[in-house]
Amino acid sequence: MDRLRCFRMMLRPKTHVFLSYSLSLLLIIIFFFSSTNAAFNNITTIPFNDGYSPLFGDDNVVRSPDGNGVRLHLDRFSGSGFISSNMYQYGFFSARIKLPSAYTAGICVAFYTSNGDVFEKTHDELDFEFLGNIAGKPWRFQTNLYGNGSTHRGREERYRLWFDPSKQFHRYSILWTAKNIIFYIDEVPIREVTRNEEMGADYPSKPMSLYATIWDASNWATSGGKYGVNYKYAPFVSEFKDLAIEGCSADPIQEIPGGAACSEKLDKLDAQDYATVTPRRRLAMRRFRQRLMYYSYCYDTLRYPIPPPECVIDPSERLRFKETGRLKFGGSHRRRSKRRGRTFTPVVEDDQAD
């Protein structure tokens, strides 16, 4: 299908949620895809049994027949998850993911790196968390990072998706190097955190494993807990395939990769096309954040009267947000929750205010 035909199909009157978004966003995404799709074409994937193992809910971790993917189920008895076989200090972590369909309020699907099982009080973490959905509303998700146990200094950003993530697979990726962190959806960078001296230990720096989980987060995930999981729609299934990790495995006790071979791998990682936010990618990221980011901790003056050191404050962008860090249609922070032992402060939101 040629690009023009594809674009015309996107403009047909439908009830699909992304039609409510700006035409300019769609144009920039199409332009971006048409020009830079080589960056993610050469990713080396790892069969599930070769690089991962069940984390919990073993009966709900269902491997694909070809061995290249897995389905995670949530039912009224258990959620499920998997973990990488190795830990890595810096790397590229990526998977094509399809989220559960139909009514999914209260469900959290997470794709993240962490070392909380090894460094319980000083853990690092990088998150994609998808926050469930109710009929007629766009899917919402958040990215977050923690360094050295800084759970009281959560760095959440929240967004809407410009597509329905339950209809087809999309690639979600986390690049983590000694100098920066980039979150990608397909080939669109949606967030970059650049390391600086002022961040200190808040910048994740210890070896981490890759995790994926699905679990019941009824008390906070969708509209701040207003809508919980309805198990008459169970099982809820999230699919993961084409899993990829580029990096060098590391001993968490030594905390540094060892040997010349690891140095070569990390140099190769830094040289990858996706390791740099080019001017074209930066434009796409800016468009995404202008149109679809609705909360940023950098503008949340209630939590952070002085923005954390990695924040780059844009005066024109600041005008769009309330003192809570949310866009000017409501929201607050008033709830605490736990995900398998990790405490954080999510953003409470009211869907009806959008």
Side-chain angles (χ1 to χ4, degrees):
M1 180 184 299
D2 62 46
R3 195 175 304 139
L4 180 58
R5 181 183 174 193
C6 178
F7 179 61
R8 286 173 176 168
M9 290 179 67
M10 293 172 72
L11 294 181
R12 291 176 184 172
K14 296 180 179 180
T15 58
H16 198 285
V17 67
F18 68 74
L19 287 181
S20 64
Y21 299 140
S22 167
L23 177 60
S24 61
L25 174 67
L26 296 176
L27 287 172
I28 196 67
I29 296 301
I30 293 170
F31 173 68
F32 187 79
F33 284 156
S34 69
S35 305
T36 62
N37 58 10
F40 288 71
N41 285 344
N42 298 320
I43 293 175
T44 301
T45 60
I46 305 173
F48 184 80
N49 287 341
D50 291 351
Y52 314 90
S53 60
L55 176 66
F56 68 100
D58 290 19
D59 291 341
N60 283 348
V61 179
V62 182
R63 295 163 177 81
S64 63
D66 63 7
N68 290 323
V70 66
R71 292 186 175 191
L72 298 183
H73 291 235
L74 168 66
D75 57 33
R76 64 179 65 252
F77 304 105
S78 178
S80 55
F82 66 83
I83 183 175
S84 62
S85 302
N86 296 316
M87 300 183 76
Y88 300 83
Q89 178 151 25
Y90 309 126
F92 177 75
F93 309 89
S94 184
R96 296 182 66 204
I97 304 172
K98 185 162 69 171
L99 298 180
S101 58
Y103 183 91
T104 57
I107 293 171
C108 183
V109 175
F111 182 73
Y112 63 106
T113 64
S114 178
N115 49 34
D117 291 340
V118 178
F119 303 100
E120 183 177 351
K121 295 183 179 180
T122 60
H123 90 285
D124 306 295
E125 189 167 323
L126 301 170
D127 296 319
F128 270 109
E129 291 180 311
F130 303 94
L131 306 177
N133 188 36
I134 58 176
K137 296 291 183 179
W139 269 83
R140 301 180 181 210
F141 71 102
Q142 71 178 21
T143 62
N144 207 344
L145 69 91
Y146 301 95
N148 204 39
S150 60
T151 55
H152 62 292
R153 294 190 296 276
R155 290 167 160 85
E156 303 100 328
E157 289 186 350
R158 285 198 173 186
Y159 330 82
R160 295 176 182 79
L161 286 166
W162 67 92
F163 54 83
D164 185 339
S166 69
K167 296 298 185 183
Q168 58 187 0
F169 286 90
H170 290 267
R171 182 167 289 282
Y172 303 87
S173 307
I174 302 170
L175 174 72
W176 170 44
T177 74
K179 61 182 181 180
N180 67 343
I181 297 162
I182 306 173
F183 293 86
Y184 279 98
I185 296 181
D186 293 322
E187 298 206 20
V188 178
I190 64 167
R191 179 180 184 182
E192 180 183 27
V193 177
T194 302
R195 186 176 195 169
N196 59 41
E197 292 183 2
E198 288 77 13
M199 288 190 73
D202 277 8
Y203 189 87
S205 58
K206 297 186 294 294
M208 292 193 278
S209 300
L210 175 68
Y211 294 80
T213 57
I214 183 170
W215 49 288
D216 186 328
S218 293
N219 62 331
W220 71 272
T222 307
S223 298
K226 183 177 180 180
Y227 302 98
V229 175
N230 188 335
Y231 283 102
K232 78 176 184 180
Y233 298 105
F236 304 98
V237 180
S238 187
E239 300 180 62
F240 297 77
K241 68 178 183 179
D242 298 333
L243 293 149
I245 297 179
E246 298 284 353
C248 189
S249 58
D251 184 331
I253 303 303
Q254 294 179 348
E255 298 188 16
I256 58 173
C262 278
S263 295
E264 291 178 4
K265 287 185 177 181
L266 295 179
D267 288 344
K268 181 180 178 181
L269 181 68
D270 285 336
Q272 294 298 315
D273 182 71
Y274 50 68
T276 301
V277 180
T278 63
R280 187 183 301 276
R281 289 195 179 114
R282 195 162 299 282
L283 176 60
M285 181 167 64
R286 182 179 179 184
R287 291 291 188 182
F288 171 86
R289 295 170 69 82
Q290 286 178 336
R291 303 299 190 268
L292 298 178
M293 183 175 74
Y294 66 89
Y295 171 80
S296 171
Y297 72 102
C298 286
Y299 298 102
D300 190 338
T301 58
L302 298 184
R303 293 173 72 189
Y304 304 111
I306 299 175
E310 73 278 4
C311 289
V312 178
I313 302 300
D314 182 334
S316 62
E317 191 171 69
R318 192 208 306 259
L319 295 175
R320 300 171 53 234
F321 290 90
K322 300 173 68 174
E323 61 182 2
T324 59
R326 280 182 56 88
L327 290 180
K328 295 179 181 294
F329 49 73
S332 64
H333 306 275
R334 61 174 183 267
R335 188 180 298 271
R336 296 185 66 81
S337 183
K338 290 187 177 181
R339 186 187 71 189
R340 294 184 61 79
R342 189 261 282 164
T343 304
F344 62 98
T345 305
V347 180
V348 176
E349 54 199 57
D350 182 359
D351 284 290
Q352 305 307 316
D354 293 1

